[in-house]
Amino acid sequence: MSHYEAPIRRPLVTGNKTYHDVTVDVARPVEGRANKSWWIVFTIALVAFLWGVGCIIYTVSTGIGAWGLNRTVGWAWDITNFVWWVGIGHAGTLISAVLLLFRQKWRMAINRSAEAMTIFSVVQAGLFPIIHMGRPWLAYWMVPIPNQFGSLWQNFNSPLLWDVFAISTYLSVSLVFWWSGLLPDFAMIRDRAVKPFQKKIYGILSFGWSGRAKDWQRFEEVHLVLAGLATPLVLSVHTIVSFDFATSVIPGWHTTIFPPYFVAGAVFSGFAMVQTLLIIMRKVVNLEDYITIQHIELMNIVIMITGSIVGVAYITELVIAWYSGVEYEQYAFLNRATGPYFWAYWLMMTCNVFSPQVMWFKKIRTSITASFIISIVVNIGMWFERFVIIVTSLHRDYLPSSWTMFSPTFVDIGLFIGTIGFFFVLFLLYARTFPVIAQAEVKTILKSSGDKWKRLRAEHGDDIDHFDTVVREPLANADAGVVEREGPSTEDKHEDTVNADALGLTEVQKDQIDEMLHRIGIYDPAVDQADDLQKLNGVGPVVEQHLHQVGIYKYEQVANLTERDYELLESIFGMFPGKDVRQDWNSRANELKNKN
Amino acid sequence: MASKVIHAIYTDDDLLLQAVKQVRQERYHIEEVFTPFPIHGLDKALGLAPTRLAVTAFLYGLLGLAVAITLMNYIMIEDWPMDIGGKPSFSFFQNMPAFIPIMFELTVFFSAHLMVITFLLRSRLWPFKKAENPDVRTTDDHFLMEIAVADHDEKELSKFLYDTGAAEIKLIDKE
């Protein structure tokens, strides 16, 4: 029907997933308990965060003098960190908004976590200007509210004030975008919750989402419009951040290339951070079937392209400095590449321009290890880009007598480490309590891009509907000769080898058994020989009889059983060997089958 | 007055869509459909009117733009005009280039937030709201159609729904 997708497109969801499998896989990390490695990483992040809190308290109580700033270099690590964190945030919006407008389905596996990353990193970014104010409790002075000082207003000509509006709009709109998308997924967890406390919490978080047809219609429209709004918004945010520099008259800052150059750099670093986080997360919470190698490869391609754009921007800057004929401008760039901070410049060049070029090789961009390493390298490089732009442009200003160097104090370092800690504290808590994949969205593409349906289409042709999870085929379809109708209207049409009448099964269960047999193979008494199932661990005469009742006679059939089938058998027979007993059945049956 | 409805549960989205079309063709009244994910074409099959949320977003955006213009005009031009760096602020239009970033941001801010608030209120979603899906499986992999019994024969209606492929059929007495 409407689920056709060209067979040449690789499946976005692997592992033969059904709708229910998606639910279970997304809910698992939330319903399960944290393992040891989570606690270890969380503790490290928490310690780093607390160190950062200590440095914030020290800065605020002592004054900005606690930082390494001096008369010449008045902006250094704080703004570097601010721009770096804001930039990282951009990938989340790009993935969820721009890729939505372009109808890129692969975004659905990663948009939730990328948006979470956006919000958490913009929170980190926002901390720096507020701390830099020195008296953060007066941060509300940034907001134009009538005040007791007479007509004392903000200066709306200042890019720093534009930044206040841009960052707050960006943070709040991203939050709303993220949360409104979370409602159906929180509802899914709420409806699966067994304990009343969890049910209550997720009930509150889901805003009572019920999934009415009208709600979904509005939901989709809201997300489309939000994507349309967020796309220019995300471009405006880093544009305005770049105005903080570009509208000044400092050589090296005063360039018109800054807005696109900053936006490309932001997307570049943001995708690298998404890559870092997701490569770890897909492993830890077993989401390899949703965040596939293909996703990693596509993100690598974005990293490579934006990295190349950034490289072009670096070279353009150099050429324009030379072409402008302005000596100060020329010196600023000469000083970057050959001055005392040459190491930072070449580190930036290596990490940002050269390292992503290896992604031209398919072998490298589909390698998890290589992707992970390069994602880290890019993040280091992008931090140094901001450092190079800010510090090397300032440290040798118009007056050679005031030339100086910048060295960070332990407070500078502590604040930066602290925000990294804070970021990971938030992200780790998110990974344990939130549905990390937009499961409702993934379910909409399962029939077009899931490998299960792709295989069915390859086997049966594109025009046929594959209601393979279906228990009851509609009468209309059987009359039209589209499919053969199974089910109670043809009462005796269940598999002959099933002798389940004594069990009092429902029609649904009988159909499920049929479906299972079709998958694992059917025992044909005329040709096949029944195997001795009692050779399997924990199978005595009773269990063997049970297996015979549902038509399982051969090792080959046992070898093909999946977890879903075991669950079905457990639900049919009250007494059935548990997980610990039957875990080696498949492998054992395989061995025995081959011995025969 | 108590009214009777039938809950028909389907296990596949394509089946549900087909069933919706058949049920509407037979002139039965579908009260509501609960699904775990958006189904393409379901709103049209149900005959739902298109949503006007995008229009409200546009209007809210205009409001945001108006607020931004009024705010900056009052602060920078009328209340306390200043000569900053030799660039005096005496006329809104001469100073407007510097105001464009915030005009844009406030347009987006108003548009996005007010649209989402409208969505939440229209769909009656807020914290502490009790969920109203009749079966918890409708957020997992089941699809529920609620049909008004009205003065139709229950048996006949059930049989009909059964033939549309419903996996479960329940008669519910609504308060």
Side-chain angles (χ1 to χ4, degrees):
Chain A
M1 206 153 67
S2 55
H3 301 299
Y4 177 79
E5 186 184 79
I8 198 168
R9 289 191 182 274
R10 283 172 287 168
L12 290 171
V13 182
T14 59
N16 214 21
K17 300 293 181 194
T18 61
Y19 292 137
H20 183 62
D21 294 335
V22 177
T23 307
V24 172
D25 289 341
V26 173
R28 194 192 308 112
V30 180
E31 290 167 349
R33 299 187 78 87
N35 59 12
K36 210 169 159 191
S37 47
W38 186 88
W39 280 108
I40 293 170
V41 181
F42 184 74
T43 311
I44 296 170
L46 195 65
V47 170
F49 171 45
L50 292 176
W51 187 23
V53 171
C55 288
I56 292 175
I57 293 171
Y58 183 73
T59 305
V60 171
S61 54
T62 321
I64 303 298
W67 295 356
L69 302 176
N70 51 48
R71 213 174 25 167
T72 313
V73 185
W75 267 9
W77 273 45
D78 51 329
I79 306 298
T80 303
N81 297 338
F82 165 74
V83 180
W84 188 69
W85 278 119
V86 177
I88 284 173
H90 278 45
T93 320
L94 196 96
I95 289 168
S96 53
V98 180
L99 296 185
L100 187 147
L101 294 183
F102 283 115
R103 303 261 178 238
Q104 290 296 312
K105 291 176 186 170
W106 61 277
R107 78 173 196 284
M108 290 174 184
I110 55 173
N111 60 0
R112 176 67 39 76
S113 298
E115 284 171 49
M117 181 200 74
T118 293
I119 289 157
F120 301 152
S121 61
V122 174
V123 167
Q124 311 311 323
L127 282 174
F128 285 99
I130 290 178
I131 301 167
H132 202 166
M133 286 173 189
R135 283 177 281 176
W137 52 92
L138 298 180
Y140 71 92
W141 285 11
M142 295 290 100
V143 188
I145 41 175
N147 52 67
Q148 70 272 44
F149 308 114
S151 291
L152 188 64
W153 296 109
Q154 293 77 15
N155 175 11
F156 280 92
N157 293 337
S158 164
L160 295 179
L161 188 66
W162 304 347
D163 237 4
V164 173
F165 280 82
I167 301 282
S168 5
T169 304
Y170 185 47
L171 179 62
S172 64
V173 170
S174 300
L175 191 66
V176 160
F177 198 1
W178 189 52
W179 204 275
S180 57
L182 271 163
L183 296 179
D185 297 357
F186 277 143
M188 178 275 283
I189 294 181
R190 171 199 72 205
D191 286 347
R192 279 176 59 85
V194 198
K195 296 182 198 137
F197 179 72
Q198 271 85 336
K199 210 168 185 69
K200 180 93 195 150
I201 294 292
Y202 286 104
I204 296 169
L205 295 179
S206 68
F207 289 13
W209 174 267
S210 307
R212 290 190 172 86
K214 187 72 188 175
D215 295 351
W216 280 119
Q217 187 199 37
R218 292 188 182 125
F219 178 91
E220 291 204 289
E221 179 104 336
V222 162
H223 276 87
L224 189 64
V225 175
L226 279 180
L229 289 169
T231 301
L233 177 64
V234 68
L235 300 182
S236 83
V237 170
H238 230 55
T239 299
I240 291 175
V241 168
S242 81
F243 285 167
D244 291 348
F245 305 98
T247 57
S248 71
V249 287
I250 307 289
W253 289 4
H254 189 67
T255 58
T256 47
I257 199 183
F258 261 27
Y261 159 32
F262 267 51
V263 171
V267 174
F268 179 52
S269 64
F271 263 84
M273 187 59 115
V274 175
Q275 191 80 287
T276 314
L277 294 173
L278 289 186
I279 284 178
I280 301 173
M281 200 173 78
R282 70 193 281 273
K283 191 84 202 160
V284 174
V285 289
N286 298 319
L287 293 172
E288 287 104 329
D289 283 329
Y290 301 91
I291 304 165
T292 63
I293 299 287
Q294 192 192 350
H295 290 86
I296 293 175
E297 186 186 352
L298 288 166
M299 285 195 276
N300 278 334
I301 292 174
V302 176
I303 290 175
M304 182 181 77
I305 290 173
T306 47
S308 307
I309 297 176
V310 168
V312 170
Y314 291 167
I315 296 164
T316 310
E317 272 189 323
L318 294 178
V319 172
I320 294 299
W322 162 74
Y323 187 65
S324 69
V326 180
E327 285 164 357
Y328 298 105
E329 196 72 27
Q330 288 169 347
Y331 181 71
F333 284 93
L334 201 63
N335 181 46
R336 275 185 195 177
T338 60
Y341 282 115
F342 79 97
W343 53 273
Y345 183 81
W346 290 106
L347 194 62
M348 162 191 105
M349 273 290 189
T350 318
C351 295
N352 294 348
V353 186
F354 302 127
S355 85
Q357 297 307 319
V358 299
M359 299 295 190
W360 287 101
F361 300 101
K362 193 174 174 90
K363 226 190 178 111
I364 292 179
R365 65 172 188 262
T366 51
S367 149
I368 292 175
T369 323
S371 308
F372 187 74
I373 293 170
I374 287 172
S375 73
I376 302 271
V377 165
V378 165
N379 270 311
I380 295 172
M382 282 310 289
W383 191 88
F384 273 99
E385 179 201 290
R386 279 65 183 251
F387 180 81
V388 165
I389 291 174
I390 292 162
V391 173
T392 66
S393 300
L394 288 174
H395 86 121
R396 290 189 165 174
D397 61 3
Y398 291 108
L399 198 62
S401 64
S402 60
W403 285 7
T404 178
M405 297 289 283
F406 169 81
S407 59
T409 63
F410 80 93
V411 187
D412 282 306
I413 299 167
L415 278 173
F416 181 46
I417 304 285
T419 51
I420 294 177
F422 190 14
F423 176 79
F424 277 99
V425 164
L426 291 173
F427 198 84
L428 286 164
L429 288 175
Y430 151 82
R432 293 234 38 91
T433 49
F434 279 53
V436 293
I437 283 187
Q439 52 94 24
E441 277 193 281
V442 168
K443 284 174 184 170
T444 63
I445 59 159
L446 203 58
K447 280 194 175 175
S448 56
S449 311
D451 66 346
K452 182 187 174 107
W453 278 273
K454 283 209 172 254
R455 206 164 37 240
L456 282 171
R457 275 197 299 271
E459 284 167 13
H460 303 292
D462 298 329
D463 301 330
I464 297 179
D465 292 330
H466 305 289
F467 306 133
D468 110 316
T469 53
V470 163
V471 174
R472 231 167 277 317
E473 198 57 58
L475 194 58
N477 295 356
D479 287 347
V482 182
V483 282
E484 211 170 298
R485 183 172 163 86
E486 292 170 9
S489 59
T490 49
E491 204 63 61
D492 298 330
K493 268 292 187 251
H494 290 292
E495 285 302 328
D496 298 331
T497 51
V498 180
N499 296 300
D501 294 338
L503 296 170
L505 297 183
T506 62
E507 280 303 323
V508 177
Q509 280 171 321
K510 284 184 187 172
D511 288 337
Q512 284 171 333
I513 293 172
D514 288 348
E515 192 262 342
M516 172 183 82
L517 287 179
H518 278 291
R519 253 184 307 115
I520 65 171
I522 294 164
Y523 171 71
D524 183 357
V527 201
D528 294 329
Q529 188 93 44
D531 292 322
D532 182 9
L533 297 179
Q534 293 193 32
K535 283 190 181 162
L536 296 168
N537 188 18
V539 178
V542 179
V543 178
E544 189 181 38
Q545 194 196 357
H546 282 341
L547 291 171
H548 286 173
Q549 277 179 309
V550 295
I552 299 177
Y553 288 86
K554 294 188 295 175
Y555 293 138
E556 196 190 334
Q557 290 173 299
V558 177
N560 289 336
L561 287 174
T562 63
E563 197 46 44
R564 195 157 51 127
D565 303 324
Y566 287 126
E567 277 166 19
L568 173 67
L569 295 177
E570 264 180 5
S571 70
I572 294 172
F573 308 109
M575 298 277 281
F576 196 77
K579 241 181 194 155
D580 45 330
V581 182
R582 64 175 196 239
Q583 59 188 0
D584 65 337
W585 279 15
N586 296 53
S587 53
R588 180 91 181 113
N590 243 328
E591 280 170 31
L592 292 166
K593 177 184 80 181
N594 295 335
K595 235 184 256 178
N596 279 359
Chain B
M1 198 189 85
S3 68
K4 281 186 176 171
V5 292
I6 281 184
H7 286 172
I9 295 183
Y10 297 81
T11 53
D12 186 276
D13 47 337
D14 291 325
L15 267 193
L16 173 84
L17 201 57
Q18 189 184 16
V20 164
K21 286 172 186 159
Q22 289 174 359
V23 170
R24 288 201 10 118
Q25 209 160 30
E26 291 299 311
R27 304 268 173 236
Y28 292 117
H29 180 65
I30 300 175
E31 298 261 336
E32 196 57 77
V33 174
F34 296 89
T35 66
F37 54 83
I39 297 171
H40 188 72
L42 181 64
D43 50 347
K44 283 214 176 63
L46 279 169
L48 294 180
T51 170
R52 291 162 296 178
L53 277 168
V55 178
T56 68
F58 179 73
L59 297 177
Y60 291 142
L62 288 183
L63 175 69
L65 184 64
V67 167
I69 291 172
T70 316
L71 181 82
M72 285 187 285
N73 183 55
Y74 173 71
I75 289 175
M76 296 295 288
I77 310 296
E78 284 175 12
D79 194 41
W80 200 268
M82 282 187 291
D83 188 336
I84 299 164
K87 288 169 270 185
S89 348
F90 297 131
S91 136
F92 181 80
F93 283 100
Q94 277 179 351
N95 284 265
M96 196 178 64
F99 300 156
I100 283 179
I102 291 181
M103 279 156 65
F104 171 76
E105 298 300 333
L106 287 184
T107 307
V108 170
F109 186 90
F110 274 69
S111 178
H113 288 296
L114 293 178
M115 174 183 64
V116 170
I117 289 170
T118 312
F119 161 58
L120 294 179
L121 292 181
R122 288 289 287 140
S123 285
R124 309 185 67 72
L125 301 166
W126 47 78
F128 298 102
K129 169 85 192 301
K130 226 176 131 43
E132 285 162 349
N133 46 337
D135 192 304
V136 290
R137 291 171 299 172
T138 59
T139 52
D140 177 1
D141 61 346
H142 284 59
F143 306 80
L144 191 147
M145 196 198 307
E146 189 177 296
I147 302 113
V149 175
D151 46 6
H152 303 293
D153 178 40
E154 286 161 19
K155 279 237 169 62
E156 198 182 315
L157 179 53
S158 307
K159 171 80 176 60
F160 171 74
L161 289 171
Y162 193 80
D163 285 339
T164 61
E168 291 172 33
I169 293 163
K170 270 182 245 162
L171 186 65
I172 308 277
D173 262 321
K174 255 198 171 175
E175 290 306 311

